[in-house]
Amino acid sequence: MQATGILNTLKKVDQSKTFQGFVIFVIIVSALSIGAHTYHLPPWLEQSLWVLDIAITGFFLFELIIRFMASDGIKSFFSKGWNIFDTIIVIGSLVPLGGSTILLARLLRIFRVLRLVSMVPELRMLINALLKAIPRMGYIALLMFVIFYIYGAIGSMFFANVNDFLWGDVSIAMLTLFRISTFESWTLIMYETMEVYPLSWLYYLSFIFLTTFVFLNMMVGAVLDVMGEETKIMREEQGENEAESGAENIAEVATAEDIKQLNAKIDRLTELLAKKS
């Protein structure tokens, strides 16, 4: 019974917005501390940051233990990918800052900033949507590669004699096309080839239309589609959590009412026994 009470207390602490807000605050302080280490600081400040880093690492370990104990077991805890991610980050932060591991330890501590993603539901939704959109984006990227290859081969055939540095072979031509797709001084490249091939502007405009306008919008559409699905799932989960919280509150109220009624009955029996005596 006592263990159940402790478990319920840990769950309330873990789900508390105040506690979660404090965790986010510590993550931000950790990020600022990591950034401060990149500057040339006086020894006393370096020592203070080192102590602060130990305190932050200890707090993260404490917070992870609370979340683990508040879960419904090891399987339930590690069934969530974000819990696995946080565990790896926290364990990585325990690598001592000294000796040959100092660079590794600092790199692992940098990734503690990513814990901000696991703490904010909206950021988790964005990352989940991005990961789920990767397969769809992969097919779009494959189609883009085909277009780049075709245009690169054509450009190498026609424009190699104009500028061998930009159009010497298909791989260099594809790199030049990537530069064109980012609009980095692409007009200079176009005007150079137009001096030899006046209609070469059709080549550039058609390529830009396909890659920048068509495929880019397809990428954005794929991500937005998955984000819509993730938003729906997040709202359903929030609705379920609110329903469970409401049910628990109702159960607590019902238990309190039962205790009041029982106390009232005990008081009546005590009064009756007192009268009879």
Side-chain angles (χ1 to χ4, degrees):
M1 190 72 178
Q2 188 177 1
T4 305
I6 294 173
L7 184 62
N8 291 332
T9 302
L10 290 175
K11 285 184 177 180
K12 288 180 179 179
V13 171
D14 182 44
Q15 296 173 0
S16 170
K17 291 184 178 180
T18 303
F19 182 71
Q20 291 179 356
F22 184 72
V23 173
I24 293 173
F25 171 75
V26 174
I27 293 171
I28 295 173
V29 172
S30 174
L32 295 175
S33 173
I34 293 168
H37 279 294
T38 62
Y39 293 91
H40 296 289
L41 302 173
W44 66 268
L45 188 54
E46 284 280 359
Q47 187 70 17
S48 301
L49 290 175
W50 181 74
V51 174
L52 178 63
D53 185 80
I54 293 176
I56 290 172
T57 302
F59 175 79
F60 281 152
L61 182 61
F62 172 72
E63 184 260 340
L64 186 67
I65 292 172
I66 288 179
R67 286 170 55 190
F68 177 77
M69 295 180 66
S71 65
D72 297 327
I74 297 177
K75 187 176 181 181
S76 174
F77 181 80
F78 288 107
S79 63
K80 298 179 180 179
W82 288 111
N83 288 340
I84 297 174
F85 174 79
D86 288 344
T87 302
I88 294 172
I89 295 297
V90 172
I91 292 175
S93 299
L94 298 177
V95 176
L97 270 173
S100 59
T101 62
I102 186 168
L103 180 60
L104 175 63
R106 285 182 176 177
L107 286 173
L108 290 172
R109 279 163 171 74
I110 290 172
F111 286 105
R112 288 195 307 204
V113 182
L114 289 175
R115 289 211 57 209
L116 191 64
V117 177
S118 65
M119 293 302 301
V120 181
E122 287 75 12
L123 292 179
R124 288 202 305 267
M125 185 267 293
L126 290 175
I127 297 297
N128 289 333
L130 180 61
L131 292 175
K132 289 184 179 180
I134 286 176
R136 303 184 189 182
M137 294 169 64
Y139 290 111
I140 300 172
L142 180 60
L143 183 57
M144 284 183 66
F145 175 79
V146 172
I147 298 299
F148 266 79
Y149 189 83
I150 292 172
Y151 273 82
I154 295 172
S156 180
M157 291 176 187
F158 284 94
F159 306 142
N161 61 327
V162 178
N163 190 330
D164 186 68
F165 181 75
L166 295 177
W167 306 99
D169 55 55
V170 67
S171 58
I172 296 298
M174 289 175 67
L175 187 60
T176 302
L177 289 172
F178 181 79
R179 172 184 169 183
I180 292 170
S181 67
T182 62
F183 298 110
E184 176 63 28
S185 302
W186 71 277
T187 53
L188 297 177
I189 302 173
M190 181 181 69
Y191 293 145
E192 184 182 37
T193 58
M194 283 180 65
E195 292 178 0
V196 181
Y197 301 98
L199 293 178
S200 62
W201 60 270
L202 292 171
Y203 171 86
Y204 295 98
L205 293 186
S206 61
F207 173 78
I208 290 173
F209 177 78
L210 283 174
T211 55
T212 305
F213 298 114
V214 176
F215 290 119
L216 181 60
N217 287 329
M218 289 173 68
M219 287 279 192
V220 173
V223 175
L224 289 177
D225 187 30
V226 178
M227 281 183 61
E229 296 174 0
E230 286 298 310
T231 303
K232 183 179 179 181
I233 293 172
M234 187 179 71
R235 287 176 178 173
E236 289 176 353
E237 290 178 352
Q238 289 177 348
E240 290 176 358
N241 292 334
E242 290 176 358
E244 290 177 358
S245 177
E248 290 177 358
N249 292 334
I250 291 171
E252 289 178 359
V253 172
T255 303
E257 290 294 331
D258 292 339
I259 292 172
K260 288 181 180 179
Q261 291 179 4
L262 182 61
N263 289 332
K265 289 180 180 179
I266 292 172
D267 292 339
R268 288 176 186 175
L269 288 172
T270 303
E271 290 176 1
L272 290 174
L273 290 172
K275 288 179 181 179
K276 287 182 180 180
S277 62

